[in-house]
Amino acid sequence: MKNKWLSVPYIVWMAIFVVAPLILVLIYAFTSRSGGFTVENFTTMAQYVTVFGRSFFLALIATLVCILLGYPLAYYLAREGAGMRRMATMLIMLPMWMNFLLRTYSWMSILENTGLLNTLFQKIGLFALINSVFGTNIEYFHMINTQGAIVLGMVYNFLPFMVLPIYTVIDKIDYRVIEAAQDLGANTRQVFRKVIFPLSLPGVLSGITMVFVPAVSTFAIPRLLGGGMVTMLGDLIEAQFMGSAYNPYLGSAISLVMMVVVLICMAVMNRFGEGEEGAVVL
Amino acid sequence: MKKNGFWSRLFMVLVFLFLYAPIFVLIVFSFNATKSRSVWAGFSLQWYVKLFSDEAIMEALRTTLLVSAAASVVACIAGTAAAIGIYALKRKSRGIVLSVNNIPLTNADIVTGVSLSLLFVLAVNAFNSTFGTRWELGFWTLLIAHITFDIPYVILSVLPKLRQLDPNIYEAAQDLGATGFTAFRKVILPDLMPGIVNGLLIAFTMSIDDFVISYFTAGSKVSTLAMEIYAMARRKISPEINAISTLLFASVLILLILINIRQSRQDRLAKRQKAILATKK
Amino acid sequence: GDSADKYPNGEVNVLNWGEYIDEDVIPEFEEEYGIKVNYKVCSDNETLYSTLSGGGSDYDVIVPSDYMISRLISEGMLEKLDFSNIPNFSDVDAKFLNPAYDATGEYSVPYMWGTVGIIYNTTMVNGDITSWSALFDKQYAGQVLMINNPRDAIGVALKYLGYSYNTTDKSQIKEATDLLIQQKEDGIVQAYVMDEIFDKMEGGEAAIGVYYAGDYLTMLENNPDLAFVVPSEGSNYFVDAMCIPKGASNKENGEKFINFMCSTDVGKDNCESIGYSSPLMSVKDALDPEISGNPVAYPSDEVLASCEQFINLPADILEFYDSEWLRLKV
Amino acid sequence: MSKELIRLQNCCMAFDDEQVLNNLNLYINDKEFLTLLGPSGCGKTTTLRIIGGFTTPTSGDVFFDGVRINAVPPYQRQINTVFQKYALFPHLNVFENIAFGLRMKKVPDPADPSGKRMVKLSEDEITRRVDEMLEIISLKGFENRKPDALSGGQQQRVAIARALVNRPKVLLLDEPLGALDLKLRKDMQMELKKIQQQVGITFVYVTHDQEEALTMSDTIVVMDKGSIQQIGTPEDIYNEPKNAFVADFIGESNIIDGIMCADSIVQMYGRKFQCVDSGFAPNEPVDVVIRPEDIDIVPVEQGQLAGTVTNVTFKGMQYDIIVDFRGFKWLIQTTDHSPVGAKIGVKIDPDGFHIMKKSAYSGKFGDYSSYSEEYDELSDTEEPEDDAAEGDSHEE
Amino acid sequence: MSKELIRLQNCCMAFDDEQVLNNLNLYINDKEFLTLLGPSGCGKTTTLRIIGGFTTPTSGDVFFDGVRINAVPPYQRQINTVFQKYALFPHLNVFENIAFGLRMKKVPDPADPSGKRMVKLSEDEITRRVDEMLEIISLKGFENRKPDALSGGQQQRVAIARALVNRPKVLLLDEPLGALDLKLRKDMQMELKKIQQQVGITFVYVTHDQEEALTMSDTIVVMDKGSIQQIGTPEDIYNEPKNAFVADFIGESNIIDGIMCADSIVQMYGRKFQCVDSGFAPNEPVDVVIRPEDIDIVPVEQGQLAGTVTNVTFKGMQYDIIVDFRGFKWLIQTTDHSPVGAKIGVKIDPDGFHIMKKSAYSGKFGDYSSYSEEYDELSDTEEPEDDAAEGDSHEE
Ligand SMILES: Nc1ncnc2c1ncn2[C@@H]1O[C@H](COP(=O)(O)OP(=O)(O)OP(=O)(O)O)[C@@H](O)[C@H]1O
Ligand SMILES: Nc1ncnc2c1ncn2[C@@H]1O[C@H](COP(=O)(O)OP(=O)(O)OP(=O)(O)O)[C@@H](O)[C@H]1O
Ligand SMILES: [Mg+2]
Ligand SMILES: [Mg+2]
């Protein structure tokens, strides 16, 4: 069953449709509108520093929230019985079958000033209560079109990508290893800190990658939940290719820089992750 | 491990509530009598009825299903073959191929989409100017893009199965008189099947859910459901979209429940057989 | 097989704005001419421009706005029309012939026209609004929807400041942008929107918005509390015209489609459906007098006189617009 | 070796409806090497898990040093475990695996006169003790390897060190050698026994390998179906099995139906034999166990019984000879070769007969049993070897 | 049993640069039960794979029934294999696993007079033959089980049936019992031997368990490091090992440096003993093998040598006694108990000495070897058990 040649077509395919496009991005990034070599695309990017900063910041927050929600969820899931576990993993996958734009759009209905949540608060008399206590005159909470809403959208959309890898890793942990730790004097908290958590780190790391990367590059979420008030990297790139500021060269340059920064982040994190493993030991 | 207590259960319920609240809203308003997405005006099936006469949505649905199905099936076959090939490679070259394989997975969708669109536009323009044709981005480029990002998922779910494979099984089949390909078909393939099916499912799901890559590679003629939704979201999403999504969602839900039921029944059967085995000893 | 039987005369690829046509007229055309219509929408002129210049797309009919038409003409991206295939062109009101954006009149056939103004919810504002100043009024913090494209948004500020929509004075543009930034920082803007405005205004999510008169009429059907005004400082008056991009594969079918769109019945259906104003004389006559007499749809010449049309600007000014816009959005 | 350390009293265990342990009563002495022996699924692991505190018995009590510990969690018991497949921490290297328990430990602060403040062990102390263990298990120089870079035998030693370094009172070992191959297993048996005597602690050892149990233990507990069948020294168990199950499980044996005519006189096949057992009722039916190596082959005229050799297998150290006494097959192990077909006599010393009371196991066990129905079957087959195989029909 | 069926001639095999088989010459007769025996990694599986056709030797020829078959693919050889871990098809049930080979088969169409057209076996025929096999392996009623719902022993039998149903001329078995536990392994040994004799085909059997090899084989091939060390019947191999490696690998043995003074006279420890071997040069240094069970314990005054008992282990059938003859440790196996510390004499019959020429293995093997350096080491340790463990130092 040693059919090495079977890999050849796919390697060719990857060369054409994975590697070549990225090389094109690289070339475009150093090309001017007139077609010559230039680094101007990178110098003009200086004005986008805030966009870069904001995107990475929001993605980071979203990733953190995903860990905070996703890790306990994955952990608790792994402790459930087999039937429950299977159902729960299914429930985590299932939303993906409803287009993410639509689900995000649905958040608009929920978060708007006149949306479902505010209506609910209104109905239960929350605003009346607040107004009477604080003497304010609130009619709604302002939730939509804020950075918070964008983070919420990211967390909502990418949470499953955090939960699933962590769950998979925790689920694979040999229960005897946990018993061994108890046997050696570790109480429940120590078992978690010294055994379960370090063993689940690979899952956390891949979860972080799977949340952070799409979060930093999203453009649909800020557009739907941010109301055009917040520009993010994805918007910027999209605008260069599909939007008002048509300039694929600049777009390529931005993509390239984003890719490189993400790669660096991931590399640092992986290194840090390994160090973390050592640190947990000590 | 200890079982979950009240608070951890509550936490799980709340997270699931968070995940399902928008879906619930969406489904409810697909039955709304008016177009409003926040005011309930009574129950109605009108959007479900209208849906089937809405050419654009039906067309987008067809495109979506067609692209997803075609891409995942092609990716499934190609990915399985590729996985077998990669598995046979030497350690070092396997490492290189696998890291390239990972690029579409870890790269931002938008970069994948943008880079592919650059390639397609360049290729189409070059082709047209050489041969005087009038090709353009469309179904084929969309399909290629989908296949490209689907294959890695298939490979990643088939490779572990290959690793688990008892290397002697293939030889055993040959030993019993099966020639190379027959041995593969009768023995290896059925063993890889769970991985392949899993890969197919993931690929199909990813294709269905994809928006960004399609958006950049579909050109102007075709659009997927996701693109249609994005275009609509600028103004107002027709509840017809809610309706079609509800239908899709419900069919997948039913499918999964059926699979789940079958699975647990099989589990129970296997458990019983094992128990019988244990008592016999 | 199937589609060839049904559509013996090929196809035509149309790119239009969202909800900018009566959806029933497309099958009508397909049936009558045996031509398949691939109908797509796009959100703004800039997207249209990037779609066209990106290559890889193939449209036969597009409906850009005035200033974009002149840009496309100057960049050689449009085909000259064969007016012998568009006999209905004769119905076009003379005041739309040989416009500034297409001085020779060889490239475009006007489709709809209208004004930009303030749409507001009478239950959510104090009294009538007559001036752009309402957009910068802190009492409407969080209630204002601004239009999400550089020329319209900055243009509004320019007009409020008393400058021209088509100014090439960078300092004026900068002043206008600063005003918008102030507006954003004051929390007056709820969101920058395009077609999203329908939903938000109809739903009472926002009190004030800047958008097109024709769209206001559509919204009004769903929310009778809405009002429209062309501010006293004057506003933008636009024309969207049908053109054929360079190298279109089905030019003749495109011209048939344009001609079809200029027929009285179709024009009337479109007008009634989308609320914009038609440049076709027979259509205005055929319309319900309640509509044709409505000053929102067919404003008085006086109001029109206070309005400016966009014209294409020099490249450096356009780039300046982009970077100023970015300054606002970043 | 005489102080009682652990006591299981009337322990029962059930999973779902399945009774896994039936009323177990077991005393384990300090510094003893006690082995739980029994076929797969008999409840050995379960017993061990109860002692270790990983499960609580459905009913019954567990005492440690006289204190009832049913509710004490594993991490508070002075008991450590070597798990069946080692269960090493995959993310920690050898050093850290061994140090794990020490890092969990708190000891009274030597600096605090009241002796109440508890502190962690110092890093020096930990290093010293781990190094000491590494010495004992001869794995110096492997400190930084991760478990998956160790061979099976090395992993096994790390698992032992990880448990021993905590100086537990009791070490539980669940088939620690099960995954090793024969040669390595034999070496490790000796090593384990050596370690136990060196550190002087109680070992509770689980195996299903009789030879291992015999070689290593002070006390063997033979279990079957959740019940203890016999407790005793290896010699007791081998020489005086309490029932047919034990007799068969420990070594090969001929088990024959007999009747106790009187003290020291047993009757089989209608003939009377001298034996050394007594205390049975007159004419009580019994099972008679005769070990294959206790049977001497003698010339026919000198034998107590005369039979025909039907099969001879060379086993290296000895020959396995199957002798047919008019339909009853016996297994005899001897260093002298007798050809197939030879007529021979056999002689058994009085202490070669082991008399057991009839039990539920009677007639079900024994490598070569004495039922004549089987004889009929056997006579159908032509090959002499078949007898050996078919005689093994207790399997079904 | 005399016709030659398979011949490996000058077979060499190398992976990368590693020589795995060195010039192997091996003849296998029809209906023979031949066992390849050797330590892990010695090339047993590789030899089997060459016979089965899964690999081709780097050089040398393979003949089957006189025909060179180096290039014949596995699926065209009349040879079937039972793989080390069974390699059952996990997705097929027992019936389909067994039927697999039959479904692959094509036979001349009986309806075609020219006999040229080939057809598949009929479903009836397949069912009949599979049922027959199920009968043989006593797994009737298990047809529909998937392999993972079978116990180890059952899986093993299915693997054998799957191979046998094709009626091969030769069955290759690669450690078929390696994964089974002791008791089951013993039962299966008998069963396998029975099946071989029943169906009357050639078995080529691989194991690293000496006892298994001795019990089952007609011929044993002892291998080490890719070379054949000895070929012979079990008795030959056990009683007349060619070198220290074979002596040690087959059973436990005391291997002592000696000198052949003359035919039938060997000198060890400066004393002369009567033996039965001859054909050595005068005063040729030799290795003397004495099997532990060939040594009789006698009162000191009657013994050829006198020593002290240092350790006794009960093994059920016998005691393992370690005796110290002024620093030289011997292992003795006997059924009689001698207490630790007792002074005893030992007596060895002339045929208890096995004289071997010196070889590359001399001095490296033997459970209890005769080097006095070891004595120094041994004397450092206090525990008598240590001797046993440390004495095993040939391992390093
Ligand atoms: N968690 C559990 N749930 C249900 N049944 C169990 C559980 N653990 C053990 N059993 C059952 O209890 C019985 C005894 O199991 P145990 O593990 O103690 O056997 P064992 O003697 O250790 O066997 P082995 O030699 O195979 O390890 C078995 O029949 C087993 O199926
Ligand atoms: N495909 C291979 N590539 C490289 N070396 C191999 C390969 N197969 C076997 N070897 C090497 O050949 C030698 C002999 O291997 P083989 O499998 O024949 O041993 P074995 O006697 O069957 O051992 P075991 O008892 O462990 O199964 C070993 O050193 C092994 O490492
Ligand atoms: Mg167990
Ligand atoms: Mg092998």
Side-chain angles (χ1 to χ4, degrees), chain D residues 288-337:
Chain D
V288 182
V289 173
I290 306 172
R291 295 289 181 189
E293 72 275 15
D294 288 342
I295 307 173
D296 292 326
I297 294 184
V298 294
V300 176
E301 54 284 4
Q302 293 170 26
Q304 294 166 309
L305 287 165
T308 315
V309 174
T310 59
N311 187 13
V312 179
T313 312
F314 180 67
K315 287 272 182 173
M317 245 177 62
Q318 89 277 352
Y319 291 92
D320 280 9
I321 296 180
I322 296 180
V323 181
D324 182 334
F325 300 107
R326 281 176 294 144
F328 300 99
K329 304 265 173 182
W330 286 24
L331 171 68
I332 301 178
Q333 291 175 332
T334 158
T335 49
D336 303 311
H337 182 267

Side-chain angles (χ1 to χ4, degrees), chain C residues 73-93:
Chain C
I73 292 172
S74 69
E75 294 183 17
M77 291 168 72
L78 296 183
E79 290 279 0
K80 285 190 180 162
L81 302 176
D82 179 354
F83 284 93
S84 61
N85 286 332
I86 316 175
N88 289 339
F89 184 72
S90 56
D91 192 21
V92 174
D93 193 334

Side-chain angles (χ1 to χ4, degrees), chain B residues 278, chain D residues 15-16 18 20 39-47 84 175 208:
Chain D
F15 291 110
D16 306 324
E18 199 196 337
V20 170
S40 188
C42 73
K44 304 181 298 290
T45 298
T46 307
T47 309
Q84 194 154 359
E175 304 198 23
H208 57 233

Side-chain angles (χ1 to χ4, degrees), chain A residues 6 28 30 38 40 45 47 64 69 79 88 102 104 110-111 115 144 149 158 186-187 194 208-209 214 222 267 275-276:
Chain A
L6 275 175
Y28 266 61
F30 289 99
T38 182
E40 197 194 325
M45 230 186 288
Q47 52 185 322
L64 282 179
L69 288 180
R79 301 204 304 188
L102 211 54
T104 310
I110 297 175
L111 296 180
I144 192 87
F158 307 131
N187 59 31
K194 302 257 171 180
I208 290 177
T209 315
E276 177 79 85

